[in-house]
Amino acid sequence: MNRSESAKRLALSKILTLEEAYLEIDRRKALGDRVVFTNGCFDLLHPGHTRYLADARQLGDLLIVAVNSDRSVRDLKGDGRPIFPQEERAEILAALEAVDYVTIFDDPTPQAVIARMLPHVLVKGAGWGPNEIVGRAEVEAAGGRVVSMAAIPGFSTSSIVSAVQKICG
């Protein structure tokens, strides 16, 4: 097996179904690991995302990223999105060293996923106000904390898509 195949196999091993993710998070919590959770579309990965994820990973022993399904991205972002299908977005995220596990959810929000996982730390970008962070109440009620990460200036998937559309007409 060459390095590329090996890297892909490792990344794919980090992608879990929701049920597998619930079981793994329960197992890791039982071992005393501090679980960090974040979610998003991650439609066009850029340095703002990679820095955000690396910073989130520093808040615990493992980072799980829940990715919006293709259907939920379309509902949130409109026609023409996502750019990459959910399996490819999950694979790209799983290839990052900072990301321990990736799962895909199909609901409009990650509310049910967060309520089931009850991570120790819920991380969202600073673009979300304190009262807009889905799952905040559940995490805090369980003794966890919610962290808003500062946005990395100059990086936005929507602005990248707009710039490409201008160039390509």
Side-chain angles (χ1 to χ4, degrees):
M1 176 181 333
N2 66 35
R3 288 183 69 155
S4 176
E5 291 169 344
S6 178
K8 181 178 180 181
R9 184 175 297 217
L10 174 62
L12 293 177
S13 73
K14 293 165 56 173
I15 301 170
L16 307 175
T17 66
L18 272 174
E19 195 53 44
E20 291 169 336
Y22 296 146
L23 293 172
E24 181 62 13
I25 296 309
D26 288 347
R27 186 183 76 77
R28 296 292 298 266
K29 284 172 148 182
L31 293 172
D33 289 338
R34 187 171 176 80
V35 176
V36 180
F37 176 97
T38 195
N39 68 280
C41 299
F42 298 100
D43 195 13
L44 190 58
L45 205 63
H46 54 69
H49 290 132
T50 58
R51 294 172 193 171
Y52 166 85
L53 294 168
D55 288 346
R57 177 60 178 80
Q58 296 303 308
L59 299 173
D61 298 308
L62 69 113
L63 173 63
I64 182 158
V65 180
V67 178
N68 291 74
S69 69
D70 292 346
R71 186 195 59 75
S72 78
V73 172
R74 263 189 305 282
D75 290 349
L76 291 168
K77 306 288 184 175
D79 290 337
R81 300 282 292 274
I83 295 167
F84 290 107
Q86 62 195 32
E87 294 82 7
E88 292 176 7
R89 290 181 285 124
E91 180 182 338
I92 292 166
L93 286 164
L96 298 175
E97 184 178 344
V99 176
D100 294 288
Y101 300 107
V102 178
T103 192
I104 299 168
F105 70 99
D106 195 43
D107 293 333
T109 75
Q111 182 92 35
V113 176
I114 294 166
R116 170 59 180 84
M117 279 188 194
L118 291 176
H120 298 99
V121 183
L122 171 60
V123 179
K124 284 303 287 180
W128 297 91
N131 296 327
E132 298 174 313
I133 297 176
V134 170
R136 170 185 283 280
E138 291 85 350
V139 169
E140 289 179 343
R145 70 183 184 126
V146 177
V147 175
S148 291
M149 292 279 187
I152 309 294
F155 296 106
S156 154
T157 301
S158 297
S159 65
I160 292 169
V161 169
S162 290
V164 170
Q165 287 173 336
K166 279 184 186 176
I167 292 169
C168 295

mmCIF file of all heavy atoms in Angstrom, residues 80-128:
data_model
loop_
_atom_site.group_PDB
_atom_site.id
_atom_site.type_symbol
_atom_site.label_atom_id
_atom_site.label_comp_id
_atom_site.label_asym_id
_atom_site.label_seq_id
_atom_site.Cartn_x
_atom_site.Cartn_y
_atom_site.Cartn_z
ATOM 1 N N GLY A 80 -26.842 25.050 -5.439
ATOM 2 C CA GLY A 80 -25.434 25.199 -5.787
ATOM 3 C C GLY A 80 -24.503 24.799 -4.658
ATOM 4 O O GLY A 80 -23.285 24.781 -4.830
ATOM 5 N N ARG A 81 -25.043 24.514 -3.505
ATOM 6 C CA ARG A 81 -24.242 24.066 -2.374
ATOM 7 C C ARG A 81 -24.807 22.740 -1.894
ATOM 8 O O ARG A 81 -26.002 22.521 -2.039
ATOM 9 C CB ARG A 81 -24.285 25.099 -1.241
ATOM 10 C CG ARG A 81 -23.757 26.471 -1.603
ATOM 11 C CD ARG A 81 -22.263 26.618 -1.638
ATOM 12 N NE ARG A 81 -21.633 26.509 -0.347
ATOM 13 C CZ ARG A 81 -21.454 27.504 0.528
ATOM 14 N NH1 ARG A 81 -21.870 28.709 0.249
ATOM 15 N NH2 ARG A 81 -20.862 27.274 1.670
ATOM 16 N N PRO A 82 -24.043 21.855 -1.394
ATOM 17 C CA PRO A 82 -22.611 21.986 -1.163
ATOM 18 C C PRO A 82 -21.794 21.852 -2.458
ATOM 19 O O PRO A 82 -22.281 21.334 -3.458
ATOM 20 C CB PRO A 82 -22.305 20.810 -0.232
ATOM 21 C CG PRO A 82 -23.299 19.768 -0.624
ATOM 22 C CD PRO A 82 -24.544 20.530 -0.987
ATOM 23 N N ILE A 83 -20.584 22.301 -2.366
ATOM 24 C CA ILE A 83 -19.656 22.166 -3.482
ATOM 25 C C ILE A 83 -19.144 20.731 -3.540
ATOM 26 O O ILE A 83 -19.083 20.126 -4.601
ATOM 27 C CB ILE A 83 -18.498 23.175 -3.332
ATOM 28 C CG1 ILE A 83 -19.049 24.598 -3.445
ATOM 29 C CG2 ILE A 83 -17.409 22.914 -4.367
ATOM 30 C CD1 ILE A 83 -18.110 25.675 -3.012
ATOM 31 N N PHE A 84 -18.781 20.197 -2.394
ATOM 32 C CA PHE A 84 -18.323 18.810 -2.293
ATOM 33 C C PHE A 84 -19.386 17.985 -1.574
ATOM 34 O O PHE A 84 -19.994 18.453 -0.625
ATOM 35 C CB PHE A 84 -17.023 18.713 -1.473
ATOM 36 C CG PHE A 84 -15.832 19.299 -2.168
ATOM 37 C CD1 PHE A 84 -15.295 20.500 -1.743
ATOM 38 C CD2 PHE A 84 -15.229 18.648 -3.236
ATOM 39 C CE1 PHE A 84 -14.196 21.048 -2.372
ATOM 40 C CE2 PHE A 84 -14.126 19.185 -3.867
ATOM 41 C CZ PHE A 84 -13.610 20.390 -3.440
ATOM 42 N N PRO A 85 -19.592 16.736 -2.004
ATOM 43 C CA PRO A 85 -20.565 15.886 -1.314
ATOM 44 C C PRO A 85 -20.118 15.562 0.118
ATOM 45 O O PRO A 85 -18.935 15.636 0.449
ATOM 46 C CB PRO A 85 -20.634 14.618 -2.163
ATOM 47 C CG PRO A 85 -19.605 14.725 -3.206
ATOM 48 C CD PRO A 85 -19.002 16.085 -3.153
ATOM 49 N N GLN A 86 -21.071 15.186 0.942
ATOM 50 C CA GLN A 86 -20.818 14.961 2.369
ATOM 51 C C GLN A 86 -19.700 13.968 2.629
ATOM 52 O O GLN A 86 -18.889 14.170 3.540
ATOM 53 C CB GLN A 86 -22.103 14.531 3.076
ATOM 54 C CG GLN A 86 -22.680 13.226 2.577
ATOM 55 C CD GLN A 86 -24.102 12.990 3.020
ATOM 56 O OE1 GLN A 86 -24.892 13.927 3.182
ATOM 57 N NE2 GLN A 86 -24.453 11.725 3.209
ATOM 58 N N GLU A 87 -19.614 12.909 1.860
ATOM 59 C CA GLU A 87 -18.563 11.907 2.076
ATOM 60 C C GLU A 87 -17.177 12.508 1.858
ATOM 61 O O GLU A 87 -16.233 12.196 2.579
ATOM 62 C CB GLU A 87 -18.755 10.688 1.159
ATOM 63 C CG GLU A 87 -19.997 9.875 1.462
ATOM 64 C CD GLU A 87 -21.279 10.445 0.840
ATOM 65 O OE1 GLU A 87 -21.213 11.421 0.046
ATOM 66 O OE2 GLU A 87 -22.358 9.924 1.178
ATOM 67 N N GLU A 88 -17.044 13.359 0.842
ATOM 68 C CA GLU A 88 -15.757 13.993 0.561
ATOM 69 C C GLU A 88 -15.417 15.050 1.605
ATOM 70 O O GLU A 88 -14.265 15.168 2.025
ATOM 71 C CB GLU A 88 -15.752 14.565 -0.850
ATOM 72 C CG GLU A 88 -15.787 13.467 -1.903
ATOM 73 C CD GLU A 88 -15.887 13.981 -3.319
ATOM 74 O OE1 GLU A 88 -15.798 15.210 -3.544
ATOM 75 O OE2 GLU A 88 -16.059 13.143 -4.228
ATOM 76 N N ARG A 89 -16.422 15.809 2.055
ATOM 77 C CA ARG A 89 -16.168 16.793 3.120
ATOM 78 C C ARG A 89 -15.728 16.084 4.386
ATOM 79 O O ARG A 89 -14.797 16.526 5.072
ATOM 80 C CB ARG A 89 -17.417 17.646 3.374
ATOM 81 C CG ARG A 89 -17.705 18.596 2.217
ATOM 82 C CD ARG A 89 -18.916 19.487 2.433
ATOM 83 N NE ARG A 89 -20.156 18.741 2.260
ATOM 84 C CZ ARG A 89 -21.123 18.651 3.163
ATOM 85 N NH1 ARG A 89 -21.031 19.260 4.327
ATOM 86 N NH2 ARG A 89 -22.217 17.947 2.915
ATOM 87 N N ALA A 90 -16.368 14.957 4.695
ATOM 88 C CA ALA A 90 -15.990 14.174 5.877
ATOM 89 C C ALA A 90 -14.571 13.630 5.727
ATOM 90 O O ALA A 90 -13.779 13.671 6.679
ATOM 91 C CB ALA A 90 -16.982 13.033 6.101
ATOM 92 N N GLU A 91 -14.222 13.141 4.557
ATOM 93 C CA GLU A 91 -12.879 12.596 4.329
ATOM 94 C C GLU A 91 -11.802 13.667 4.496
ATOM 95 O O GLU A 91 -10.761 13.427 5.109
ATOM 96 C CB GLU A 91 -12.788 11.988 2.929
ATOM 97 C CG GLU A 91 -11.428 11.398 2.617
ATOM 98 C CD GLU A 91 -11.318 10.839 1.212
ATOM 99 O OE1 GLU A 91 -12.346 10.521 0.580
ATOM 100 O OE2 GLU A 91 -10.169 10.717 0.744
ATOM 101 N N ILE A 92 -12.059 14.851 3.954
ATOM 102 C CA ILE A 92 -11.090 15.950 4.076
ATOM 103 C C ILE A 92 -10.888 16.321 5.542
ATOM 104 O O ILE A 92 -9.758 16.469 6.011
ATOM 105 C CB ILE A 92 -11.548 17.172 3.244
ATOM 106 C CG1 ILE A 92 -11.466 16.848 1.743
ATOM 107 C CG2 ILE A 92 -10.708 18.404 3.579
ATOM 108 C CD1 ILE A 92 -12.199 17.848 0.856
ATOM 109 N N LEU A 93 -11.967 16.447 6.279
ATOM 110 C CA LEU A 93 -11.866 16.772 7.705
ATOM 111 C C LEU A 93 -11.144 15.674 8.477
ATOM 112 O O LEU A 93 -10.298 15.947 9.331
ATOM 113 C CB LEU A 93 -13.254 17.000 8.307
ATOM 114 C CG LEU A 93 -13.915 18.317 7.926
ATOM 115 C CD1 LEU A 93 -15.399 18.267 8.248
ATOM 116 C CD2 LEU A 93 -13.240 19.483 8.622
ATOM 117 N N ALA A 94 -11.465 14.420 8.176
ATOM 118 C CA ALA A 94 -10.850 13.295 8.883
ATOM 119 C C ALA A 94 -9.355 13.210 8.616
ATOM 120 O O ALA A 94 -8.612 12.658 9.423
ATOM 121 C CB ALA A 94 -11.542 11.991 8.486
ATOM 122 N N ALA A 95 -8.904 13.758 7.500
ATOM 123 C CA ALA A 95 -7.481 13.733 7.180
ATOM 124 C C ALA A 95 -6.677 14.723 8.023
ATOM 125 O O ALA A 95 -5.443 14.631 8.084
ATOM 126 C CB ALA A 95 -7.271 14.022 5.691
ATOM 127 N N LEU A 96 -7.355 15.637 8.691
ATOM 128 C CA LEU A 96 -6.659 16.630 9.514
ATOM 129 C C LEU A 96 -6.212 16.003 10.833
ATOM 130 O O LEU A 96 -6.976 15.297 11.493
ATOM 131 C CB LEU A 96 -7.573 17.820 9.804
ATOM 132 C CG LEU A 96 -8.038 18.622 8.590
ATOM 133 C CD1 LEU A 96 -9.023 19.697 9.023
ATOM 134 C CD2 LEU A 96 -6.858 19.233 7.847
ATOM 135 N N GLU A 97 -4.997 16.304 11.230
ATOM 136 C CA GLU A 97 -4.446 15.764 12.470
ATOM 137 C C GLU A 97 -5.269 16.179 13.692
ATOM 138 O O GLU A 97 -5.432 15.404 14.631
ATOM 139 C CB GLU A 97 -2.994 16.221 12.636
ATOM 140 C CG GLU A 97 -2.307 15.640 13.831
ATOM 141 C CD GLU A 97 -0.859 16.058 13.941
ATOM 142 O OE1 GLU A 97 -0.294 16.549 12.958
ATOM 143 O OE2 GLU A 97 -0.302 15.897 15.033
ATOM 144 N N ALA A 98 -5.807 17.379 13.673
ATOM 145 C CA ALA A 98 -6.552 17.894 14.831
ATOM 146 C C ALA A 98 -7.883 17.189 15.048
ATOM 147 O O ALA A 98 -8.428 17.216 16.141
ATOM 148 C CB ALA A 98 -6.795 19.396 14.667
ATOM 149 N N VAL A 99 -8.404 16.546 14.018
ATOM 150 C CA VAL A 99 -9.731 15.923 14.081
ATOM 151 C C VAL A 99 -9.590 14.437 14.406
ATOM 152 O O VAL A 99 -8.917 13.702 13.697
ATOM 153 C CB VAL A 99 -10.486 16.126 12.754
ATOM 154 C CG1 VAL A 99 -11.819 15.397 12.768
ATOM 155 C CG2 VAL A 99 -10.683 17.610 12.473
ATOM 156 N N ASP A 100 -10.241 14.022 15.487
ATOM 157 C CA ASP A 100 -10.189 12.615 15.878
ATOM 158 C C ASP A 100 -11.285 11.793 15.219
ATOM 159 O O ASP A 100 -11.058 10.648 14.833
ATOM 160 C CB ASP A 100 -10.289 12.492 17.407
ATOM 161 C CG ASP A 100 -9.068 13.096 18.072
ATOM 162 O OD1 ASP A 100 -7.993 12.486 17.988
ATOM 163 O OD2 ASP A 100 -9.194 14.204 18.642
ATOM 164 N N TYR A 101 -12.483 12.352 15.126
ATOM 165 C CA TYR A 101 -13.615 11.647 14.529
ATOM 166 C C TYR A 101 -14.493 12.628 13.773
ATOM 167 O O TYR A 101 -14.597 13.803 14.140
ATOM 168 C CB TYR A 101 -14.482 10.959 15.594
ATOM 169 C CG TYR A 101 -13.743 9.945 16.398
ATOM 170 C CD1 TYR A 101 -13.390 10.206 17.722
ATOM 171 C CD2 TYR A 101 -13.380 8.706 15.851
ATOM 172 C CE1 TYR A 101 -12.691 9.271 18.474
ATOM 173 C CE2 TYR A 101 -12.678 7.775 16.595
ATOM 174 C CZ TYR A 101 -12.334 8.062 17.894
ATOM 175 O OH TYR A 101 -11.645 7.139 18.635
ATOM 176 N N VAL A 102 -15.146 12.104 12.735
ATOM 177 C CA VAL A 102 -16.107 12.880 11.951
ATOM 178 C C VAL A 102 -17.372 12.040 11.831
ATOM 179 O O VAL A 102 -17.306 10.816 11.667
ATOM 180 C CB VAL A 102 -15.560 13.183 10.538
ATOM 181 C CG1 VAL A 102 -16.587 13.944 9.703
ATOM 182 C CG2 VAL A 102 -14.249 13.954 10.607
ATOM 183 N N THR A 103 -18.506 12.700 11.925
ATOM 184 C CA THR A 103 -19.784 12.039 11.678
ATOM 185 C C THR A 103 -20.640 12.994 10.862
ATOM 186 O O THR A 103 -20.359 14.192 10.793
ATOM 187 C CB THR A 103 -20.473 11.626 13.005
ATOM 188 O OG1 THR A 103 -21.554 10.743 12.708
ATOM 189 C CG2 THR A 103 -20.955 12.821 13.806
ATOM 190 N N ILE A 104 -21.651 12.474 10.220
ATOM 191 C CA ILE A 104 -22.535 13.279 9.374
ATOM 192 C C ILE A 104 -23.937 13.238 9.971
ATOM 193 O O ILE A 104 -24.420 12.172 10.356
ATOM 194 C CB ILE A 104 -22.552 12.720 7.930
ATOM 195 C CG1 ILE A 104 -21.141 12.782 7.327
ATOM 196 C CG2 ILE A 104 -23.548 13.491 7.061
ATOM 197 C CD1 ILE A 104 -20.973 12.004 6.030
ATOM 198 N N PHE A 105 -24.569 14.424 10.040
ATOM 199 C CA PHE A 105 -25.946 14.477 10.547
ATOM 200 C C PHE A 105 -26.844 15.123 9.510
ATOM 201 O O PHE A 105 -26.403 15.964 8.736
ATOM 202 C CB PHE A 105 -26.020 15.200 11.899
ATOM 203 C CG PHE A 105 -25.775 16.682 11.831
ATOM 204 C CD1 PHE A 105 -26.839 17.578 11.814
ATOM 205 C CD2 PHE A 105 -24.482 17.189 11.791
ATOM 206 C CE1 PHE A 105 -26.616 18.951 11.758
ATOM 207 C CE2 PHE A 105 -24.245 18.545 11.739
ATOM 208 C CZ PHE A 105 -25.317 19.433 11.715
ATOM 209 N N ASP A 106 -28.101 14.720 9.499
ATOM 210 C CA ASP A 106 -29.037 15.145 8.457
ATOM 211 C C ASP A 106 -30.094 16.126 8.948
ATOM 212 O O ASP A 106 -30.840 16.668 8.155
ATOM 213 C CB ASP A 106 -29.722 13.900 7.861
ATOM 214 C CG ASP A 106 -30.422 14.197 6.552
ATOM 215 O OD1 ASP A 106 -29.851 14.915 5.712
ATOM 216 O OD2 ASP A 106 -31.557 13.713 6.369
ATOM 217 N N ASP A 107 -30.162 16.374 10.236
ATOM 218 C CA ASP A 107 -31.173 17.287 10.764
ATOM 219 C C ASP A 107 -30.803 18.733 10.435
ATOM 220 O O ASP A 107 -29.643 19.041 10.155
ATOM 221 C CB ASP A 107 -31.288 17.129 12.279
ATOM 222 C CG ASP A 107 -31.845 15.769 12.673
ATOM 223 O OD1 ASP A 107 -32.581 15.171 11.868
ATOM 224 O OD2 ASP A 107 -31.522 15.300 13.782
ATOM 225 N N PRO A 108 -31.769 19.641 10.507
ATOM 226 C CA PRO A 108 -31.478 21.055 10.237
ATOM 227 C C PRO A 108 -30.444 21.641 11.211
ATOM 228 O O PRO A 108 -29.692 22.543 10.858
ATOM 229 C CB PRO A 108 -32.833 21.746 10.401
ATOM 230 C CG PRO A 108 -33.848 20.661 10.250
ATOM 231 C CD PRO A 108 -33.199 19.402 10.738
ATOM 232 N N THR A 109 -30.436 21.136 12.446
ATOM 233 C CA THR A 109 -29.450 21.579 13.441
ATOM 234 C C THR A 109 -28.860 20.338 14.117
ATOM 235 O O THR A 109 -29.457 19.262 14.066
ATOM 236 C CB THR A 109 -30.082 22.476 14.539
ATOM 237 O OG1 THR A 109 -30.835 21.647 15.435
ATOM 238 C CG2 THR A 109 -30.931 23.584 13.947
ATOM 239 N N PRO A 110 -27.730 20.507 14.814
ATOM 240 C CA PRO A 110 -27.137 19.374 15.522
ATOM 241 C C PRO A 110 -27.712 19.164 16.924
ATOM 242 O O PRO A 110 -27.120 18.466 17.737
ATOM 243 C CB PRO A 110 -25.658 19.764 15.585
ATOM 244 C CG PRO A 110 -25.703 21.254 15.708
ATOM 245 C CD PRO A 110 -26.849 21.675 14.822
ATOM 246 N N GLN A 111 -28.851 19.756 17.218
ATOM 247 C CA GLN A 111 -29.444 19.707 18.562
ATOM 248 C C GLN A 111 -29.516 18.288 19.118
ATOM 249 O O GLN A 111 -29.056 18.018 20.226
ATOM 250 C CB GLN A 111 -30.854 20.305 18.528
ATOM 251 C CG GLN A 111 -31.540 20.340 19.864
ATOM 252 C CD GLN A 111 -31.311 21.640 20.577
ATOM 253 O OE1 GLN A 111 -31.227 22.674 19.941
ATOM 254 N NE2 GLN A 111 -31.188 21.609 21.880
ATOM 255 N N ALA A 112 -30.085 17.362 18.357
ATOM 256 C CA ALA A 112 -30.245 15.989 18.844
ATOM 257 C C ALA A 112 -28.896 15.304 19.031
ATOM 258 O O ALA A 112 -28.706 14.546 19.991
ATOM 259 C CB ALA A 112 -31.124 15.189 17.885
ATOM 260 N N VAL A 113 -27.965 15.573 18.142
ATOM 261 C CA VAL A 113 -26.624 14.969 18.243
ATOM 262 C C VAL A 113 -25.931 15.452 19.511
ATOM 263 O O VAL A 113 -25.378 14.663 20.280
ATOM 264 C CB VAL A 113 -25.775 15.295 16.993
ATOM 265 C CG1 VAL A 113 -24.359 14.756 17.139
ATOM 266 C CG2 VAL A 113 -26.433 14.750 15.733
ATOM 267 N N ILE A 114 -25.973 16.751 19.741
ATOM 268 C CA ILE A 114 -25.333 17.330 20.925
ATOM 269 C C ILE A 114 -26.005 16.816 22.201
ATOM 270 O O ILE A 114 -25.327 16.442 23.161
ATOM 271 C CB ILE A 114 -25.354 18.875 20.863
ATOM 272 C CG1 ILE A 114 -24.482 19.354 19.698
ATOM 273 C CG2 ILE A 114 -24.891 19.483 22.185
ATOM 274 C CD1 ILE A 114 -24.683 20.818 19.340
ATOM 275 N N ALA A 115 -27.336 16.778 22.199
ATOM 276 C CA ALA A 115 -28.072 16.304 23.380
ATOM 277 C C ALA A 115 -27.732 14.853 23.696
ATOM 278 O O ALA A 115 -27.680 14.459 24.857
ATOM 279 C CB ALA A 115 -29.573 16.465 23.160
ATOM 280 N N ARG A 116 -27.465 14.057 22.678
ATOM 281 C CA ARG A 116 -27.103 12.649 22.902
ATOM 282 C C ARG A 116 -25.642 12.504 23.325
ATOM 283 O O ARG A 116 -25.310 11.722 24.206
ATOM 284 C CB ARG A 116 -27.390 11.843 21.628
ATOM 285 C CG ARG A 116 -26.849 10.423 21.609
ATOM 286 C CD ARG A 116 -27.383 9.569 22.754
ATOM 287 N NE ARG A 116 -26.848 8.218 22.698
ATOM 288 C CZ ARG A 116 -25.664 7.838 23.205
ATOM 289 N NH1 ARG A 116 -24.887 8.709 23.806
ATOM 290 N NH2 ARG A 116 -25.273 6.585 23.104
ATOM 291 N N MET A 117 -24.743 13.261 22.699
ATOM 292 C CA MET A 117 -23.306 13.134 23.010
ATOM 293 C C MET A 117 -22.920 13.838 24.301
ATOM 294 O O MET A 117 -22.036 13.384 25.007
ATOM 295 C CB MET A 117 -22.462 13.707 21.871
ATOM 296 C CG MET A 117 -22.284 12.775 20.737
ATOM 297 S SD MET A 117 -21.098 13.431 19.563
ATOM 298 C CE MET A 117 -21.435 12.331 18.208
ATOM 299 N N LEU A 118 -23.553 14.967 24.570
ATOM 300 C CA LEU A 118 -23.209 15.807 25.719
ATOM 301 C C LEU A 118 -21.689 15.942 25.883
ATOM 302 O O LEU A 118 -21.108 15.470 26.861
ATOM 303 C CB LEU A 118 -23.851 15.271 27.003
ATOM 304 C CG LEU A 118 -25.358 15.403 27.076
ATOM 305 C CD1 LEU A 118 -25.892 14.758 28.346
ATOM 306 C CD2 LEU A 118 -25.787 16.866 26.982
ATOM 307 N N PRO A 119 -21.069 16.628 24.918
ATOM 308 C CA PRO A 119 -19.621 16.822 25.019
ATOM 309 C C PRO A 119 -19.272 17.684 26.223
ATOM 310 O O PRO A 119 -20.111 18.428 26.734
ATOM 311 C CB PRO A 119 -19.283 17.548 23.715
ATOM 312 C CG PRO A 119 -20.539 18.288 23.370
ATOM 313 C CD PRO A 119 -21.651 17.365 23.803
ATOM 314 N N HIS A 120 -18.022 17.583 26.663
ATOM 315 C CA HIS A 120 -17.547 18.433 27.759
ATOM 316 C C HIS A 120 -17.406 19.870 27.291
ATOM 317 O O HIS A 120 -17.605 20.807 28.070
ATOM 318 C CB HIS A 120 -16.192 17.929 28.276
ATOM 319 C CG HIS A 120 -16.272 16.549 28.844
ATOM 320 N ND1 HIS A 120 -15.910 15.437 28.125
ATOM 321 C CD2 HIS A 120 -16.690 16.114 30.051
ATOM 322 C CE1 HIS A 120 -16.091 14.358 28.888
ATOM 323 N NE2 HIS A 120 -16.572 14.743 30.053
ATOM 324 N N VAL A 121 -17.041 20.028 26.006
ATOM 325 C CA VAL A 121 -16.849 21.363 25.435
ATOM 326 C C VAL A 121 -17.538 21.408 24.078
ATOM 327 O O VAL A 121 -17.287 20.562 23.214
ATOM 328 C CB VAL A 121 -15.352 21.707 25.260
ATOM 329 C CG1 VAL A 121 -15.179 23.133 24.741
ATOM 330 C CG2 VAL A 121 -14.583 21.514 26.569
ATOM 331 N N LEU A 122 -18.409 22.392 23.894
ATOM 332 C CA LEU A 122 -19.065 22.661 22.626
ATOM 333 C C LEU A 122 -18.420 23.914 22.054
ATOM 334 O O LEU A 122 -18.390 24.947 22.713
ATOM 335 C CB LEU A 122 -20.566 22.871 22.839
ATOM 336 C CG LEU A 122 -21.394 23.381 21.658
ATOM 337 C CD1 LEU A 122 -21.326 22.423 20.479
ATOM 338 C CD2 LEU A 122 -22.837 23.620 22.092
ATOM 339 N N VAL A 123 -17.893 23.828 20.843
ATOM 340 C CA VAL A 123 -17.184 24.951 20.228
ATOM 341 C C VAL A 123 -17.943 25.424 18.996
ATOM 342 O O VAL A 123 -18.351 24.620 18.160
ATOM 343 C CB VAL A 123 -15.749 24.541 19.821
ATOM 344 C CG1 VAL A 123 -15.024 25.699 19.149
ATOM 345 C CG2 VAL A 123 -14.971 24.046 21.026
ATOM 346 N N LYS A 124 -18.115 26.731 18.904
ATOM 347 C CA LYS A 124 -18.706 27.350 17.715
ATOM 348 C C LYS A 124 -17.900 28.591 17.385
ATOM 349 O O LYS A 124 -17.210 29.150 18.239
ATOM 350 C CB LYS A 124 -20.170 27.753 17.960
ATOM 351 C CG LYS A 124 -21.145 26.612 17.940
ATOM 352 C CD LYS A 124 -21.144 25.784 16.669
ATOM 353 C CE LYS A 124 -21.784 26.481 15.498
ATOM 354 N NZ LYS A 124 -21.781 25.680 14.265
ATOM 355 N N GLY A 125 -18.029 29.047 16.144
ATOM 356 C CA GLY A 125 -17.363 30.268 15.714
ATOM 357 C C GLY A 125 -18.013 31.480 16.358
ATOM 358 O O GLY A 125 -19.189 31.443 16.740
ATOM 359 N N ALA A 126 -17.248 32.547 16.466
ATOM 360 C CA ALA A 126 -17.729 33.760 17.132
ATOM 361 C C ALA A 126 -18.881 34.428 16.395
ATOM 362 O O ALA A 126 -19.524 35.309 16.939
ATOM 363 C CB ALA A 126 -16.576 34.747 17.308
ATOM 364 N N GLY A 127 -19.177 33.994 15.177
ATOM 365 C CA GLY A 127 -20.292 34.552 14.436
ATOM 366 C C GLY A 127 -21.642 34.197 15.044
ATOM 367 O O GLY A 127 -22.663 34.782 14.695
ATOM 368 N N TRP A 128 -21.639 33.248 15.959
ATOM 369 C CA TRP A 128 -22.870 32.836 16.626
ATOM 370 C C TRP A 128 -22.961 33.529 17.974
ATOM 371 O O TRP A 128 -22.049 33.445 18.782
ATOM 372 C CB TRP A 128 -22.874 31.318 16.853
ATOM 373 C CG TRP A 128 -22.861 30.544 15.581
ATOM 374 C CD1 TRP A 128 -21.764 30.100 14.908
ATOM 375 C CD2 TRP A 128 -23.979 30.146 14.815
ATOM 376 N NE1 TRP A 128 -22.125 29.449 13.770
ATOM 377 C CE2 TRP A 128 -23.506 29.452 13.694
ATOM 378 C CE3 TRP A 128 -25.357 30.299 14.969
ATOM 379 C CZ2 TRP A 128 -24.345 28.923 12.725
ATOM 380 C CZ3 TRP A 128 -26.196 29.768 14.004
ATOM 381 C CH2 TRP A 128 -25.685 29.089 12.898
#
